[in-house]
């Protein structure tokens, strides 16, 4: 389906990154199902649990949620109509949306910073520990800051798009 030029967004690179994140999140969903299926099979057939899949499942699930949230913001699938906005009027509603988006950006930026700190600490600890297991944990945790970054970039884009619409009005 061809989208007219005037309806396309200004951030093509952000949309491509978010779409790539969506593809990666689908891959993580397949990995989650595979790990759970293997764990169930091992528990059923061999009567013991590996406990190997617990940490990767948590990181994969977090990556799926964050990258999926970025995709939702990109597609505009979120709820945009809120009864409070209609009571406020167009200008006050836009200002309220901008304030809410600014708070969301601040919270997401803080979470992004904390996830990068967590990733850095894991990297430092994995250098002194067994490299194979430490590297695996580091790579799995890298999904979380990437998801927060995509989500934060989408929020920033929405904020500036709302700001630009407010300036035109």
């Amino acid at each position: 389906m061809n989208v007219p030029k005037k309806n396309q967004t200004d951030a093509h690179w952000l949309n491509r990154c978010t779409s790539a994140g969506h593809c990666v999140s689908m891959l993580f969903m397949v990995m989650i199902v595979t790990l759970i299926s293997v764990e169930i099979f091992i528990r059923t057939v061999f009567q013991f649990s590996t406990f190997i899949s617990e940490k990767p499942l948590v990181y994969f699930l977090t990556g799926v949620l964050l990258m999926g949230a970025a995709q939702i913001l990109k597609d505009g699938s979120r709820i945009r109509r809120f009864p409070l906005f209609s009571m406020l009027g167009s200008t006050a509603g836009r200002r309220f949306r901008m304030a809410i988006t600014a708070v969301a950006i601040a919270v997401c930026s803080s979470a992004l910073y904390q996830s990068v700190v967590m990733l850095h600490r894991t990297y430092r600890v994995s250098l002194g520990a067994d490299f194979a297991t430490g590297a695996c944990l580091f790579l799995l945790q890298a999904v979380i800051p990437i998801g927060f970054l995509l989500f934060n970039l989408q929020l920033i884009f929405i904020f500036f798009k709302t700001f630009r619409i407010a300036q035109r009005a």
Side-chain angles (χ1 to χ4, degrees):
M1 181 171 137
N2 291 336
V3 178
K5 290 275 186 197
K6 62 181 179 180
N7 290 337
Q8 291 180 350
T9 60
D10 297 333
H12 298 293
W13 63 272
L14 182 58
N15 288 337
R16 282 191 292 248
C17 288
T18 304
S19 296
H22 181 65
C23 292
V24 170
S25 72
M26 288 189 294
L27 177 68
F28 286 155
M29 281 195 227
V30 170
M31 290 177 169
I32 289 170
V33 170
T34 303
L35 284 171
I36 291 173
S37 300
V38 167
E39 183 70 25
I40 290 172
F41 176 76
I42 289 173
R43 282 185 186 189
T44 305
V45 174
F46 300 113
Q47 302 296 321
F48 75 93
S49 177
T50 59
F51 295 112
I52 294 172
S53 60
E54 184 178 339
K55 278 193 178 183
L57 282 174
V58 170
Y59 296 132
F60 286 158
L61 184 60
T62 305
V64 165
L65 289 174
L66 290 172
M67 291 181 195
Q71 181 69 26
I72 286 171
L73 288 178
K74 179 192 139 218
D75 290 342
S77 302
R78 65 201 183 281
I79 298 173
R80 283 181 240 125
R81 301 289 178 239
F82 195 61
L84 181 64
F85 294 156
S86 62
M87 292 177 4
L88 290 175
S90 63
T91 305
R94 264 195 308 275
R95 288 180 183 164
F96 190 65
R97 273 194 300 273
M98 287 174 58
I100 290 173
T101 306
V103 169
I105 290 169
V107 169
C108 192
S109 295
S110 173
L112 173 63
Y113 172 75
Q114 292 300 323
S115 66
V116 169
V117 167
M118 177 190 69
L119 186 65
H120 185 295
R121 286 181 183 160
T122 303
Y123 178 72
R124 279 195 334 209
V125 169
S126 67
L127 290 179
D130 181 24
F131 181 73
T133 57
C136 289
L137 189 60
F138 173 75
L139 292 174
L140 295 174
Q141 283 183 352
V143 173
I144 296 171
I146 292 170
F148 272 123
L149 179 66
L150 286 174
F151 188 64
N152 206 9
L153 288 174
Q154 284 293 342
L155 284 172
I156 291 168
F157 180 71
I158 288 170
F159 179 80
F160 283 118
K161 191 164 95 175
T162 307
F163 184 72
R164 189 176 54 200
I165 290 171
Q167 284 184 338
R168 285 184 198 163

